[in-house]
Amino acid sequence: MENPGKIAAATAALSYIEDNTVVGLGSGSTAKIFIEKLAERVAAENMTLTCVATSHFSEDLGLKLGLNVVPLDEVTSVDVTVDGADEVDPQLNGIKGGGAALFFEKIVAKASKQNIWVVDPSKESPRLGSFKLPIEVLPFGSGHVFNYLADMDLDPTFRMLDEQTRLTTDSANYIIDVDVSKVDDLHALGDELIRHTGIVEHGLFLDICDTLIVGEEPARVINRH
Ligand code: 5RP
């Protein structure tokens, strides 16, 4: 079913896109709406955009809709990336990766001059941790990484496609979801996780989002100070 908040946020993000720029295409259902609306606008206004994608799905969708989607390494930087988020706090820190695209999403975000997140109001949270934090891990030795996360009292679970099959990401890795609701210092946790061998990336996106667009009527825009 269509979510009016996601549509409102994705629509409002269009006004941040200028002609002759490089645009990062996020992943997830809100980013999908943005990509569809962007393609309509590019065709209607005959715009010249270069796009880079944060997942195979968004790349395929953009190409199918006629957008000029190129590999990230073909651009020197990205002017603006529009992406969704799973949970975002008042400081515009967030948890991402509900759609398992966090690794490419973070690489594109770090290459972007401006990161805009488009969310419906349900994603706002006074404190991060109600959404489970996705952690992307190499399949090799992932049981040991799982045990390390269990020893940290993070209640890990492998993300599954079905009872027998672990989900694999666009990079053929696994996702382990953990509970960070009892963690006070998420910056310290993020630093520790990324240093642990076998962890490829985590879904803590701290100090990355510049502008949050919350899908209300009218859309609410919050800029990072
Ligand atoms: C995918 C993501 C998405 O941006 C996040 O899950 C939000 O998705 P949606 O817009 O469908 O709620 O991080 O890895």
Side-chain angles (χ1 to χ4, degrees), residues 6 26-31 83-86 95-102 105 118 120 123 131:
K6 293 184 179 194
S27 297
S29 58
T30 322
D83 204 349
D86 296 298
I95 291 179
K96 284 180 52 53
L102 64 112
E105 287 175 331
V118 283
D120 69 77
K123 304 296 185 67
F131 195 87

Side-chain angles (χ1 to χ4, degrees), residues 57-88:
F57 180 89
S58 294
E59 179 179 18
D60 292 345
L61 177 67
L63 289 170
K64 193 180 85 186
L65 296 176
L67 292 172
N68 175 31
V69 188
V70 304
L72 181 61
D73 282 346
E74 284 190 16
V75 301
T76 46
S77 67
V78 181
D79 292 295
V80 55
T81 289
V82 177
D83 204 349
D86 296 298
E87 188 178 8
V88 55

Side-chain angles (χ1 to χ4, degrees), residues 13-14 18 61 67 70 89 128 150 152 179 209 221 223:
L14 283 179
E18 293 178 7
L61 177 67
L67 292 172
V70 304
D89 74 9
L128 296 181
M152 292 173 78
D179 177 1
C209 176
V221 177
N223 290 304

Side-chain angles (χ1 to χ4, degrees), residues 9 43 50 56 69 73 132 149 162 165 195:
T50 304
H56 294 328
V69 188
D73 282 346
K132 292 278 171 67
L149 296 168
D162 56 47
T165 324
R195 281 201 308 267

